[in-house]
Amino acid sequence: YENVRLVGGHSRCAGRVEVHHRGQWGTVCHDNWDLADATVVCRELDCGEPVDALSDAHFGPGSGPIWLTVTCVGLESTLKN
């Protein structure tokens, strides 16, 4: 995964998590998205510590393929790890 971005939020550090893979942006899947997952994304995007981990497509449904299923412990340096 070449890039990670947040889409649909009120700042560059809020939004739906998307990853760029094989030349196309897509989404991530995690039925139990939590602060550990958000911590890794925030670290990767240099956004500091997360304040919340919203789920259920809070920032709108994604488009494109689901490139990644996420289960982080919170210590990973990047989402792909």
Side-chain angles (χ1 to χ4, degrees), residues 47-63:
C47 289
E49 292 295 315
V51 295
D52 206 346
L54 303 171
S55 59
D56 299 323
H58 179 82
F59 293 102
S63 61

Side-chain angles (χ1 to χ4, degrees), residues 8-81:
H10 61 277
S11 73
R12 76 168 194 89
C13 290
R16 177 181 61 256
V17 178
E18 294 188 350
V19 294
H20 192 257
H21 182 62
R22 297 183 183 167
Q24 184 177 5
W25 286 99
T27 59
V28 300
C29 177
H30 186 345
D31 293 334
N32 298 304
W33 184 264
D34 60 17
L35 280 173
D37 304 312
T39 296
V40 175
V41 172
C42 289
R43 179 181 300 122
E44 186 168 3
L45 296 176
D46 196 28
C47 289
E49 292 295 315
V51 295
D52 206 346
L54 303 171
S55 59
D56 299 323
H58 179 82
F59 293 102
S63 61
I66 297 173
W67 285 126
L68 185 63
T69 298
V70 179
T71 305
C72 298
V73 297
L75 302 176
E76 299 86 352
S77 59
T78 63
L79 197 58
K80 70 179 179 182
N81 291 335

